[in-house]
Amino acid sequence: MTYAKYSASGNDFVIFHCFVEKDFTQEAIKLCNRTEGIGADGFVVLLPSKEADFKWKFYNSDGSAAAMCGNATRAVAHYAFNNNLASSKMKFLTDAGIIESEVMNNNIVKTQMTEPKVIKEQFEQEGFIWYLIDTGVPHLVTFVDDLEKYDHDLCAKMRYEHNANVNFAKMQNGKIKVRTYERGVEGETLACGTGMVACFLRAQNLNLVKDTALIYPKSNEELTVSKVGEKIYFQGAVKKVFTATIE
């Protein structure tokens, strides 16, 4: 099989397409392994669909399934376009619903995110004010004055208690800086698309940003999140790192 390794703002994925639908849990665990496999945060299989250009099955690096991943939608759109699976404007089916993406110039990909759902309004826990929102997957968001307050053990505790990814965010010169602990990876990743969207929506909720904001994850790559009416768009560059053939 030939697999592609992609990076979207530091969030990396192993992607391939086939016509056989099955459980790919073991392949995800094996290929996402960073010492004995290709190494990635997530594993994505593209399959035929009657409802859209294609559908995906998404796995975290531990083999668990996830309904949605914002950065992966951008990487997958680029992969699909360059493998003639879809035109530059496409629709594909995820467990979170239909995703619309557009491959633009200079490897920039724009995705319309799923409709967000507030799970829990702000509450206090462990000395921080949290906001729990589903942007395809559930995310806890807290705004702090110093991102060094990010704490791995605290994130792990909050992740299991609320079954959500955990985001520490900071406003800096009108821009949003974010650090994210992700389920399935069970640690901090260089970027999380649904997490950045969650931080943007919380910043809007606090009147810290307007309808468009620049967001920087730990990788420090620049991404744009915007709200047009009730639709949320997430835009940034992706990079095809390499392809590998594995017997």
Side-chain angles (χ1 to χ4, degrees), residues 122-125 127-131 141-143 202:
Q122 71 177 44
F123 63 98
E124 186 173 356
Q125 188 174 343
F128 296 94
I129 301 298
W130 302 95
Y131 189 73
V141 178
T142 185
F143 270 83
R202 175 57 171 161

Side-chain angles (χ1 to χ4, degrees), residues 74-93:
R74 297 188 298 110
V76 160
H78 191 277
Y79 175 94
F81 175 64
N82 283 277
N83 282 276
N84 299 314
L85 302 176
S87 63
S88 60
K89 292 184 178 181
M90 67 192 74
K91 294 181 180 181
F92 55 97
L93 182 62

Side-chain angles (χ1 to χ4, degrees), residues 34-190:
R34 294 192 183 277
T35 55
E36 297 180 351
I38 293 174
D41 294 325
F43 178 83
V44 196
V45 185
L46 278 60
L47 296 157
S49 171
K50 295 180 180 180
E51 301 174 56
D53 293 300
F54 57 91
K55 65 179 179 180
W56 86 5
K57 296 186 76 168
F58 182 93
Y59 297 84
N60 294 308
S61 59
D62 66 356
S64 60
M68 174 61 174
C69 175
N71 284 319
T73 64
R74 297 188 298 110
V76 160
H78 191 277
Y79 175 94
F81 175 64
N82 283 277
N83 282 276
N84 299 314
L85 302 176
S87 63
S88 60
K89 292 184 178 181
M90 67 192 74
K91 294 181 180 181
F92 55 97
L93 182 62
T94 73
D95 287 345
I98 292 286
I99 298 296
E100 296 184 17
S101 291
E102 180 180 1
V103 180
M104 305 161 76
N105 295 329
N106 301 317
N107 293 332
I108 299 294
V109 181
K110 182 178 182 180
T111 288
Q112 180 185 334
M113 303 294 283
T114 56
E115 182 181 351
K117 300 178 180 66
V118 176
I119 301 172
K120 190 174 183 179
E121 295 288 355
Q122 71 177 44
F123 63 98
E124 186 173 356
Q125 188 174 343
E126 304 291 339
F128 296 94
I129 301 298
W130 302 95
Y131 189 73
L132 183 54
I133 185 170
D134 190 319
T135 52
V137 292
H139 280 273
L140 285 159
V141 178
T142 185
F143 270 83
V144 294
D145 56 7
D146 183 356
L147 284 180
E148 290 305 311
K149 290 183 178 179
Y150 174 94
D151 181 277
H152 176 275
D153 292 339
L154 172 62
C155 287
K157 178 182 178 181
M158 296 293 290
R159 169 263 188 270
Y160 281 103
E161 184 168 336
H162 298 276
N163 192 27
N165 296 342
V166 185
N167 303 269
F168 278 68
K170 175 188 174 182
M171 292 301 304
Q172 184 173 321
N173 300 321
K175 302 171 184 177
I176 306 174
K177 300 284 184 100
V178 180
R179 294 181 68 175
T180 303
Y181 178 103
E182 286 200 61
R183 301 183 309 179
V185 177
E186 305 310 334
E188 185 176 12
T189 55
L190 292 177

